[in-house]
PDB file of all heavy atoms in Angstrom:
ATOM      1  N   THR A 188      18.813  -5.115  19.636  1.00  0.00           N
ATOM      2  CA  THR A 188      17.754  -4.264  19.087  1.00  0.00           C
ATOM      3  C   THR A 188      17.822  -4.216  17.556  1.00  0.00           C
ATOM      4  O   THR A 188      16.788  -4.150  16.895  1.00  0.00           O
ATOM      5  CB  THR A 188      17.845  -2.835  19.658  1.00  0.00           C
ATOM      6  OG1 THR A 188      19.158  -2.313  19.431  1.00  0.00           O
ATOM      7  CG2 THR A 188      17.552  -2.824  21.143  1.00  0.00           C
ATOM      8  N   LEU A 189      19.033  -4.278  16.997  1.00  0.00           N
ATOM      9  CA  LEU A 189      19.156  -4.314  15.537  1.00  0.00           C
ATOM     10  C   LEU A 189      18.539  -5.596  14.967  1.00  0.00           C
ATOM     11  O   LEU A 189      17.935  -5.585  13.887  1.00  0.00           O
ATOM     12  CB  LEU A 189      20.627  -4.206  15.123  1.00  0.00           C
ATOM     13  CG  LEU A 189      21.277  -2.830  15.337  1.00  0.00           C
ATOM     14  CD1 LEU A 189      22.772  -2.904  15.032  1.00  0.00           C
ATOM     15  CD2 LEU A 189      20.612  -1.775  14.470  1.00  0.00           C
ATOM     16  N   GLY A 190      18.692  -6.704  15.702  1.00  0.00           N
ATOM     17  CA  GLY A 190      18.066  -7.949  15.259  1.00  0.00           C
ATOM     18  C   GLY A 190      16.553  -7.853  15.248  1.00  0.00           C
ATOM     19  O   GLY A 190      15.890  -8.364  14.337  1.00  0.00           O
ATOM     20  N   LEU A 191      15.998  -7.166  16.248  1.00  0.00           N
ATOM     21  CA  LEU A 191      14.549  -6.983  16.288  1.00  0.00           C
ATOM     22  C   LEU A 191      14.074  -6.052  15.176  1.00  0.00           C
ATOM     23  O   LEU A 191      12.993  -6.244  14.615  1.00  0.00           O
ATOM     24  CB  LEU A 191      14.137  -6.438  17.661  1.00  0.00           C
ATOM     25  CG  LEU A 191      14.269  -7.438  18.819  1.00  0.00           C
ATOM     26  CD1 LEU A 191      13.993  -6.753  20.149  1.00  0.00           C
ATOM     27  CD2 LEU A 191      13.331  -8.619  18.624  1.00  0.00           C
ATOM     28  N   VAL A 192      14.883  -5.035  14.854  1.00  0.00           N
ATOM     29  CA  VAL A 192      14.534  -4.164  13.739  1.00  0.00           C
ATOM     30  C   VAL A 192      14.502  -4.955  12.439  1.00  0.00           C
ATOM     31  O   VAL A 192      13.608  -4.771  11.597  1.00  0.00           O
ATOM     32  CB  VAL A 192      15.526  -2.982  13.634  1.00  0.00           C
ATOM     33  CG1 VAL A 192      15.319  -2.212  12.329  1.00  0.00           C
ATOM     34  CG2 VAL A 192      15.351  -2.045  14.812  1.00  0.00           C
ATOM     35  N   ALA A 193      15.467  -5.866  12.263  1.00  0.00           N
ATOM     36  CA  ALA A 193      15.478  -6.717  11.064  1.00  0.00           C
ATOM     37  C   ALA A 193      14.205  -7.545  10.976  1.00  0.00           C
ATOM     38  O   ALA A 193      13.674  -7.775   9.882  1.00  0.00           O
ATOM     39  CB  ALA A 193      16.703  -7.622  11.076  1.00  0.00           C
ATOM     40  N   PHE A 194      13.697  -7.981  12.138  1.00  0.00           N
ATOM     41  CA  PHE A 194      12.429  -8.721  12.149  1.00  0.00           C
ATOM     42  C   PHE A 194      11.267  -7.815  11.739  1.00  0.00           C
ATOM     43  O   PHE A 194      10.431  -8.183  10.905  1.00  0.00           O
ATOM     44  CB  PHE A 194      12.155  -9.291  13.545  1.00  0.00           C
ATOM     45  CG  PHE A 194      10.715  -9.642  13.775  1.00  0.00           C
ATOM     46  CD1 PHE A 194      10.182 -10.788  13.216  1.00  0.00           C
ATOM     47  CD2 PHE A 194       9.886  -8.815  14.519  1.00  0.00           C
ATOM     48  CE1 PHE A 194       8.838 -11.119  13.401  1.00  0.00           C
ATOM     49  CE2 PHE A 194       8.554  -9.128  14.717  1.00  0.00           C
ATOM     50  CZ  PHE A 194       8.031 -10.288  14.150  1.00  0.00           C
ATOM     51  N   GLY A 195      11.182  -6.614  12.298  1.00  0.00           N
ATOM     52  CA  GLY A 195      10.018  -5.758  12.079  1.00  0.00           C
ATOM     53  C   GLY A 195      10.065  -4.929  10.817  1.00  0.00           C
ATOM     54  O   GLY A 195       9.050  -4.327  10.437  1.00  0.00           O
ATOM     55  N   LEU A 196      11.224  -4.917  10.143  1.00  0.00           N
ATOM     56  CA  LEU A 196      11.405  -4.023   9.007  1.00  0.00           C
ATOM     57  C   LEU A 196      10.419  -4.287   7.875  1.00  0.00           C
ATOM     58  O   LEU A 196       9.836  -3.361   7.308  1.00  0.00           O
ATOM     59  CB  LEU A 196      12.842  -4.148   8.492  1.00  0.00           C
ATOM     60  CG  LEU A 196      13.287  -3.114   7.466  1.00  0.00           C
ATOM     61  CD1 LEU A 196      13.180  -1.715   8.027  1.00  0.00           C
ATOM     62  CD2 LEU A 196      14.724  -3.400   7.023  1.00  0.00           C
ATOM     63  N   GLY A 197      10.231  -5.552   7.533  1.00  0.00           N
ATOM     64  CA  GLY A 197       9.337  -5.887   6.426  1.00  0.00           C
ATOM     65  C   GLY A 197       7.924  -5.409   6.675  1.00  0.00           C
ATOM     66  O   GLY A 197       7.277  -4.836   5.786  1.00  0.00           O
ATOM     67  N   ALA A 198       7.442  -5.602   7.901  1.00  0.00           N
ATOM     68  CA  ALA A 198       6.086  -5.166   8.233  1.00  0.00           C
ATOM     69  C   ALA A 198       5.975  -3.649   8.187  1.00  0.00           C
ATOM     70  O   ALA A 198       4.998  -3.090   7.672  1.00  0.00           O
ATOM     71  CB  ALA A 198       5.694  -5.681   9.613  1.00  0.00           C
ATOM     72  N   GLY A 199       6.978  -2.954   8.730  1.00  0.00           N
ATOM     73  CA  GLY A 199       6.937  -1.501   8.762  1.00  0.00           C
ATOM     74  C   GLY A 199       6.957  -0.885   7.374  1.00  0.00           C
ATOM     75  O   GLY A 199       6.179   0.031   7.075  1.00  0.00           O
ATOM     76  N   LEU A 200       7.852  -1.387   6.526  1.00  0.00           N
ATOM     77  CA  LEU A 200       7.932  -0.850   5.167  1.00  0.00           C
ATOM     78  C   LEU A 200       6.680  -1.197   4.366  1.00  0.00           C
ATOM     79  O   LEU A 200       6.213  -0.395   3.549  1.00  0.00           O
ATOM     80  CB  LEU A 200       9.175  -1.397   4.465  1.00  0.00           C
ATOM     81  CG  LEU A 200      10.523  -0.890   5.009  1.00  0.00           C
ATOM     82  CD1 LEU A 200      11.674  -1.554   4.275  1.00  0.00           C
ATOM     83  CD2 LEU A 200      10.622   0.620   4.890  1.00  0.00           C
ATOM     84  N   THR A 201       6.132  -2.383   4.600  1.00  0.00           N
ATOM     85  CA  THR A 201       4.912  -2.776   3.896  1.00  0.00           C
ATOM     86  C   THR A 201       3.741  -1.887   4.296  1.00  0.00           C
ATOM     87  O   THR A 201       2.959  -1.434   3.450  1.00  0.00           O
ATOM     88  CB  THR A 201       4.577  -4.242   4.178  1.00  0.00           C
ATOM     89  OG1 THR A 201       5.646  -5.068   3.684  1.00  0.00           O
ATOM     90  CG2 THR A 201       3.279  -4.661   3.504  1.00  0.00           C
ATOM     91  N   GLU A 202       3.622  -1.610   5.597  1.00  0.00           N
ATOM     92  CA  GLU A 202       2.544  -0.733   6.053  1.00  0.00           C
ATOM     93  C   GLU A 202       2.713   0.674   5.483  1.00  0.00           C
ATOM     94  O   GLU A 202       1.759   1.280   4.980  1.00  0.00           O
ATOM     95  CB  GLU A 202       2.511  -0.668   7.577  1.00  0.00           C
ATOM     96  CG  GLU A 202       1.397   0.233   8.112  1.00  0.00           C
ATOM     97  CD  GLU A 202       1.373   0.321   9.621  1.00  0.00           C
ATOM     98  OE1 GLU A 202       2.150  -0.388  10.283  1.00  0.00           O
ATOM     99  OE2 GLU A 202       0.559   1.121  10.138  1.00  0.00           O
ATOM    100  N   GLY A 203       3.950   1.215   5.553  1.00  0.00           N
ATOM    101  CA  GLY A 203       4.189   2.555   5.044  1.00  0.00           C
ATOM    102  C   GLY A 203       3.926   2.665   3.552  1.00  0.00           C
ATOM    103  O   GLY A 203       3.297   3.624   3.081  1.00  0.00           O
ATOM    104  N   ALA A 204       4.397   1.661   2.798  1.00  0.00           N
ATOM    105  CA  ALA A 204       4.181   1.675   1.352  1.00  0.00           C
ATOM    106  C   ALA A 204       2.705   1.546   1.016  1.00  0.00           C
ATOM    107  O   ALA A 204       2.195   2.207   0.096  1.00  0.00           O
ATOM    108  CB  ALA A 204       4.977   0.542   0.703  1.00  0.00           C
ATOM    109  N   SER A 205       1.994   0.699   1.753  1.00  0.00           N
ATOM    110  CA  SER A 205       0.570   0.498   1.477  1.00  0.00           C
ATOM    111  C   SER A 205      -0.241   1.741   1.802  1.00  0.00           C
ATOM    112  O   SER A 205      -1.183   2.094   1.084  1.00  0.00           O
ATOM    113  CB  SER A 205       0.050  -0.701   2.274  1.00  0.00           C
ATOM    114  OG  SER A 205       0.733  -1.887   1.921  1.00  0.00           O
ATOM    115  N   ARG A 206       0.108   2.432   2.895  1.00  0.00           N
ATOM    116  CA  ARG A 206      -0.587   3.668   3.249  1.00  0.00           C
ATOM    117  C   ARG A 206      -0.435   4.709   2.136  1.00  0.00           C
ATOM    118  O   ARG A 206      -1.377   5.427   1.802  1.00  0.00           O
ATOM    119  CB  ARG A 206      -0.035   4.236   4.556  1.00  0.00           C
ATOM    120  CG  ARG A 206      -0.499   3.520   5.820  1.00  0.00           C
ATOM    121  CD  ARG A 206       0.154   4.143   7.042  1.00  0.00           C
ATOM    122  NE  ARG A 206      -0.210   3.472   8.269  1.00  0.00           N
ATOM    123  CZ  ARG A 206      -1.253   3.791   9.027  1.00  0.00           C
ATOM    124  NH1 ARG A 206      -2.031   4.786   8.659  1.00  0.00           N
ATOM    125  NH2 ARG A 206      -1.509   3.139  10.140  1.00  0.00           N
ATOM    126  N   ALA A 207       0.771   4.797   1.580  1.00  0.00           N
ATOM    127  CA  ALA A 207       1.059   5.854   0.613  1.00  0.00           C
ATOM    128  C   ALA A 207       0.663   5.489  -0.814  1.00  0.00           C
ATOM    129  O   ALA A 207       0.296   6.364  -1.603  1.00  0.00           O
ATOM    130  CB  ALA A 207       2.553   6.207   0.659  1.00  0.00           C
ATOM    131  N   TRP A 208       0.723   4.180  -1.170  1.00  0.00           N
ATOM    132  CA  TRP A 208       0.656   3.819  -2.584  1.00  0.00           C
ATOM    133  C   TRP A 208      -0.438   2.832  -2.954  1.00  0.00           C
ATOM    134  O   TRP A 208      -0.615   2.536  -4.132  1.00  0.00           O
ATOM    135  CB  TRP A 208       2.013   3.223  -3.014  1.00  0.00           C
ATOM    136  CG  TRP A 208       3.115   4.232  -2.979  1.00  0.00           C
ATOM    137  CD1 TRP A 208       4.021   4.417  -1.970  1.00  0.00           C
ATOM    138  CD2 TRP A 208       3.422   5.211  -3.974  1.00  0.00           C
ATOM    139  NE1 TRP A 208       4.866   5.451  -2.277  1.00  0.00           N
ATOM    140  CE2 TRP A 208       4.529   5.955  -3.507  1.00  0.00           C
ATOM    141  CE3 TRP A 208       2.872   5.519  -5.215  1.00  0.00           C
ATOM    142  CZ2 TRP A 208       5.088   6.994  -4.238  1.00  0.00           C
ATOM    143  CZ3 TRP A 208       3.436   6.564  -5.945  1.00  0.00           C
ATOM    144  CH2 TRP A 208       4.523   7.285  -5.462  1.00  0.00           C
ATOM    145  N   SER A 209      -1.179   2.300  -1.981  1.00  0.00           N
ATOM    146  CA  SER A 209      -2.161   1.259  -2.316  1.00  0.00           C
ATOM    147  C   SER A 209      -3.253   1.792  -3.246  1.00  0.00           C
ATOM    148  O   SER A 209      -3.641   1.126  -4.217  1.00  0.00           O
ATOM    149  CB  SER A 209      -2.779   0.680  -1.036  1.00  0.00           C
ATOM    150  OG  SER A 209      -3.408   1.702  -0.272  1.00  0.00           O
ATOM    151  N   ILE A 210      -3.777   2.990  -2.959  1.00  0.00           N
ATOM    152  CA  ILE A 210      -4.827   3.562  -3.801  1.00  0.00           C
ATOM    153  C   ILE A 210      -4.278   3.877  -5.195  1.00  0.00           C
ATOM    154  O   ILE A 210      -4.945   3.647  -6.213  1.00  0.00           O
ATOM    155  CB  ILE A 210      -5.421   4.817  -3.136  1.00  0.00           C
ATOM    156  CG1 ILE A 210      -6.111   4.431  -1.812  1.00  0.00           C
ATOM    157  CG2 ILE A 210      -6.419   5.516  -4.059  1.00  0.00           C
ATOM    158  CD1 ILE A 210      -6.609   5.611  -1.005  1.00  0.00           C
ATOM    159  N   ILE A 211      -3.053   4.382  -5.226  1.00  0.00           N
ATOM    160  CA  ILE A 211      -2.418   4.689  -6.515  1.00  0.00           C
ATOM    161  C   ILE A 211      -2.210   3.413  -7.323  1.00  0.00           C
ATOM    162  O   ILE A 211      -2.371   3.400  -8.550  1.00  0.00           O
ATOM    163  CB  ILE A 211      -1.087   5.430  -6.281  1.00  0.00           C
ATOM    164  CG1 ILE A 211      -1.360   6.774  -5.621  1.00  0.00           C
ATOM    165  CG2 ILE A 211      -0.319   5.615  -7.592  1.00  0.00           C
ATOM    166  CD1 ILE A 211      -0.118   7.521  -5.191  1.00  0.00           C
ATOM    167  N   TYR A 212      -1.860   2.324  -6.643  1.00  0.00           N
ATOM    168  CA  TYR A 212      -1.672   1.043  -7.334  1.00  0.00           C
ATOM    169  C   TYR A 212      -2.961   0.600  -8.026  1.00  0.00           C
ATOM    170  O   TYR A 212      -2.956   0.212  -9.198  1.00  0.00           O
ATOM    171  CB  TYR A 212      -1.213  -0.021  -6.325  1.00  0.00           C
ATOM    172  CG  TYR A 212      -1.236  -1.432  -6.867  1.00  0.00           C
ATOM    173  CD1 TYR A 212      -0.506  -1.778  -7.997  1.00  0.00           C
ATOM    174  CD2 TYR A 212      -1.990  -2.424  -6.235  1.00  0.00           C
ATOM    175  CE1 TYR A 212      -0.519  -3.082  -8.497  1.00  0.00           C
ATOM    176  CE2 TYR A 212      -2.009  -3.720  -6.725  1.00  0.00           C
ATOM    177  CZ  TYR A 212      -1.277  -4.040  -7.859  1.00  0.00           C
ATOM    178  OH  TYR A 212      -1.304  -5.321  -8.358  1.00  0.00           O
ATOM    179  N   LEU A 213      -4.081   0.681  -7.315  1.00  0.00           N
ATOM    180  CA  LEU A 213      -5.355   0.300  -7.938  1.00  0.00           C
ATOM    181  C   LEU A 213      -5.727   1.256  -9.054  1.00  0.00           C
ATOM    182  O   LEU A 213      -6.237   0.835 -10.100  1.00  0.00           O
ATOM    183  CB  LEU A 213      -6.461   0.247  -6.877  1.00  0.00           C
ATOM    184  CG  LEU A 213      -6.775  -1.143  -6.311  1.00  0.00           C
ATOM    185  CD1 LEU A 213      -5.604  -1.684  -5.513  1.00  0.00           C
ATOM    186  CD2 LEU A 213      -8.022  -1.105  -5.442  1.00  0.00           C
ATOM    187  N   ARG A 214      -5.441   2.532  -8.862  1.00  0.00           N
ATOM    188  CA  ARG A 214      -5.773   3.527  -9.890  1.00  0.00           C
ATOM    189  C   ARG A 214      -4.987   3.276 -11.175  1.00  0.00           C
ATOM    190  O   ARG A 214      -5.529   3.351 -12.284  1.00  0.00           O
ATOM    191  CB  ARG A 214      -5.471   4.926  -9.363  1.00  0.00           C
ATOM    192  CG  ARG A 214      -5.843   6.051 -10.319  1.00  0.00           C
ATOM    193  CD  ARG A 214      -5.155   7.344  -9.923  1.00  0.00           C
ATOM    194  NE  ARG A 214      -3.704   7.258 -10.114  1.00  0.00           N
ATOM    195  CZ  ARG A 214      -2.843   8.175  -9.683  1.00  0.00           C
ATOM    196  NH1 ARG A 214      -3.281   9.229  -9.013  1.00  0.00           N
ATOM    197  NH2 ARG A 214      -1.545   8.031  -9.903  1.00  0.00           N
ATOM    198  N   ASP A 215      -3.691   2.990 -11.037  1.00  0.00           N
ATOM    199  CA  ASP A 215      -2.826   2.847 -12.209  1.00  0.00           C
ATOM    200  C   ASP A 215      -2.915   1.475 -12.869  1.00  0.00           C
ATOM    201  O   ASP A 215      -2.577   1.329 -14.044  1.00  0.00           O
ATOM    202  CB  ASP A 215      -1.370   3.107 -11.825  1.00  0.00           C
ATOM    203  CG  ASP A 215      -1.115   4.570 -11.465  1.00  0.00           C
ATOM    204  OD1 ASP A 215      -2.051   5.384 -11.643  1.00  0.00           O
ATOM    205  OD2 ASP A 215      -0.005   4.882 -11.010  1.00  0.00           O
ATOM    206  N   SER A 216      -3.366   0.469 -12.115  1.00  0.00           N
ATOM    207  CA  SER A 216      -3.325  -0.903 -12.627  1.00  0.00           C
ATOM    208  C   SER A 216      -4.655  -1.398 -13.180  1.00  0.00           C
ATOM    209  O   SER A 216      -4.678  -2.315 -14.001  1.00  0.00           O
ATOM    210  CB  SER A 216      -2.848  -1.853 -11.523  1.00  0.00           C
ATOM    211  OG  SER A 216      -1.575  -1.484 -11.038  1.00  0.00           O
ATOM    212  N   PHE A 217      -5.766  -0.805 -12.717  1.00  0.00           N
ATOM    213  CA  PHE A 217      -7.077  -1.342 -13.089  1.00  0.00           C
ATOM    214  C   PHE A 217      -8.036  -0.205 -13.447  1.00  0.00           C
ATOM    215  O   PHE A 217      -7.917   0.908 -12.932  1.00  0.00           O
ATOM    216  CB  PHE A 217      -7.674  -2.179 -11.947  1.00  0.00           C
ATOM    217  CG  PHE A 217      -6.728  -3.212 -11.400  1.00  0.00           C
ATOM    218  CD1 PHE A 217      -6.088  -3.016 -10.184  1.00  0.00           C
ATOM    219  CD2 PHE A 217      -6.461  -4.373 -12.111  1.00  0.00           C
ATOM    220  CE1 PHE A 217      -5.220  -3.965  -9.676  1.00  0.00           C
ATOM    221  CE2 PHE A 217      -5.587  -5.331 -11.621  1.00  0.00           C
ATOM    222  CZ  PHE A 217      -4.964  -5.123 -10.402  1.00  0.00           C
ATOM    223  N   ASP A 218      -8.979  -0.513 -14.293  1.00  0.00           N
ATOM    224  CA  ASP A 218      -9.988   0.460 -14.710  1.00  0.00           C
ATOM    225  C   ASP A 218     -11.246   0.247 -13.863  1.00  0.00           C
ATOM    226  O   ASP A 218     -12.155  -0.500 -14.232  1.00  0.00           O
ATOM    227  CB  ASP A 218     -10.296   0.299 -16.200  1.00  0.00           C
ATOM    228  CG  ASP A 218     -11.283   1.362 -16.699  1.00  0.00           C
ATOM    229  OD1 ASP A 218     -11.453   2.367 -15.991  1.00  0.00           O
ATOM    230  OD2 ASP A 218     -11.861   1.159 -17.787  1.00  0.00           O
ATOM    231  N   VAL A 219     -11.263   0.884 -12.699  1.00  0.00           N
ATOM    232  CA  VAL A 219     -12.389   0.735 -11.768  1.00  0.00           C
ATOM    233  C   VAL A 219     -12.794   2.114 -11.274  1.00  0.00           C
ATOM    234  O   VAL A 219     -12.021   3.076 -11.357  1.00  0.00           O
ATOM    235  CB  VAL A 219     -12.015  -0.163 -10.568  1.00  0.00           C
ATOM    236  CG1 VAL A 219     -11.834  -1.610 -11.010  1.00  0.00           C
ATOM    237  CG2 VAL A 219     -10.760   0.351  -9.872  1.00  0.00           C
ATOM    238  N   PRO A 220     -14.025   2.244 -10.726  1.00  0.00           N
ATOM    239  CA  PRO A 220     -14.457   3.541 -10.186  1.00  0.00           C
ATOM    240  C   PRO A 220     -13.561   4.007  -9.042  1.00  0.00           C
ATOM    241  O   PRO A 220     -12.907   3.205  -8.366  1.00  0.00           O
ATOM    242  CB  PRO A 220     -15.876   3.269  -9.698  1.00  0.00           C
ATOM    243  CG  PRO A 220     -16.326   2.068 -10.468  1.00  0.00           C
ATOM    244  CD  PRO A 220     -15.100   1.243 -10.688  1.00  0.00           C
ATOM    245  N   ALA A 221     -13.568   5.306  -8.800  1.00  0.00           N
ATOM    246  CA  ALA A 221     -12.707   5.890  -7.773  1.00  0.00           C
ATOM    247  C   ALA A 221     -13.014   5.338  -6.386  1.00  0.00           C
ATOM    248  O   ALA A 221     -12.111   5.161  -5.564  1.00  0.00           O
ATOM    249  CB  ALA A 221     -12.855   7.417  -7.774  1.00  0.00           C
ATOM    250  N   PHE A 222     -14.303   5.043  -6.109  1.00  0.00           N
ATOM    251  CA  PHE A 222     -14.629   4.550  -4.765  1.00  0.00           C
ATOM    252  C   PHE A 222     -14.040   3.169  -4.529  1.00  0.00           C
ATOM    253  O   PHE A 222     -13.691   2.812  -3.398  1.00  0.00           O
ATOM    254  CB  PHE A 222     -16.148   4.548  -4.545  1.00  0.00           C
ATOM    255  CG  PHE A 222     -16.882   3.363  -5.124  1.00  0.00           C
ATOM    256  CD1 PHE A 222     -17.082   2.210  -4.375  1.00  0.00           C
ATOM    257  CD2 PHE A 222     -17.373   3.404  -6.419  1.00  0.00           C
ATOM    258  CE1 PHE A 222     -17.759   1.125  -4.906  1.00  0.00           C
ATOM    259  CE2 PHE A 222     -18.058   2.331  -6.952  1.00  0.00           C
ATOM    260  CZ  PHE A 222     -18.242   1.178  -6.204  1.00  0.00           C
ATOM    261  N   VAL A 223     -13.886   2.359  -5.598  1.00  0.00           N
ATOM    262  CA  VAL A 223     -13.243   1.049  -5.452  1.00  0.00           C
ATOM    263  C   VAL A 223     -11.759   1.231  -5.166  1.00  0.00           C
ATOM    264  O   VAL A 223     -11.179   0.547  -4.310  1.00  0.00           O
ATOM    265  CB  VAL A 223     -13.458   0.193  -6.722  1.00  0.00           C
ATOM    266  CG1 VAL A 223     -12.703  -1.141  -6.605  1.00  0.00           C
ATOM    267  CG2 VAL A 223     -14.938  -0.061  -6.941  1.00  0.00           C
ATOM    268  N   GLU A 224     -11.131   2.177  -5.873  1.00  0.00           N
ATOM    269  CA  GLU A 224      -9.724   2.477  -5.601  1.00  0.00           C
ATOM    270  C   GLU A 224      -9.535   2.884  -4.142  1.00  0.00           C
ATOM    271  O   GLU A 224      -8.564   2.472  -3.495  1.00  0.00           O
ATOM    272  CB  GLU A 224      -9.249   3.618  -6.504  1.00  0.00           C
ATOM    273  CG  GLU A 224      -9.309   3.320  -7.995  1.00  0.00           C
ATOM    274  CD  GLU A 224      -9.091   4.564  -8.843  1.00  0.00           C
ATOM    275  OE1 GLU A 224      -8.874   5.655  -8.270  1.00  0.00           O
ATOM    276  OE2 GLU A 224      -9.148   4.434 -10.082  1.00  0.00           O
ATOM    277  N   SER A 225     -10.476   3.666  -3.631  1.00  0.00           N
ATOM    278  CA  SER A 225     -10.346   4.200  -2.274  1.00  0.00           C
ATOM    279  C   SER A 225     -10.518   3.144  -1.199  1.00  0.00           C
ATOM    280  O   SER A 225     -10.233   3.407  -0.023  1.00  0.00           O
ATOM    281  CB  SER A 225     -11.378   5.312  -2.054  1.00  0.00           C
ATOM    282  OG  SER A 225     -11.185   6.365  -2.973  1.00  0.00           O
ATOM    283  N   LEU A 226     -10.976   1.957  -1.561  1.00  0.00           N
ATOM    284  CA  LEU A 226     -11.166   0.889  -0.574  1.00  0.00           C
ATOM    285  C   LEU A 226      -9.855   0.227  -0.171  1.00  0.00           C
ATOM    286  O   LEU A 226      -9.811  -0.516   0.821  1.00  0.00           O
ATOM    287  CB  LEU A 226     -12.116  -0.176  -1.127  1.00  0.00           C
ATOM    288  CG  LEU A 226     -13.583   0.228  -1.308  1.00  0.00           C
ATOM    289  CD1 LEU A 226     -14.359  -0.900  -1.972  1.00  0.00           C
ATOM    290  CD2 LEU A 226     -14.201   0.589   0.032  1.00  0.00           C
ATOM    291  N   ALA A 227      -8.773   0.480  -0.914  1.00  0.00           N
ATOM    292  CA  ALA A 227      -7.515  -0.229  -0.650  1.00  0.00           C
ATOM    293  C   ALA A 227      -6.986   0.051   0.751  1.00  0.00           C
ATOM    294  O   ALA A 227      -6.674  -0.868   1.511  1.00  0.00           O
ATOM    295  CB  ALA A 227      -6.480   0.149  -1.711  1.00  0.00           C
TER     296      ALA A 227
END
């Protein structure tokens, strides 16, 4: 089961990080309207 966790870890952390920070990334990195940021 630890081997399977090692397989799924990258996807899980990527999904969690994207849920929490994707909109913030667009907001902080680019000068675009808020609705474009919200599309992330």
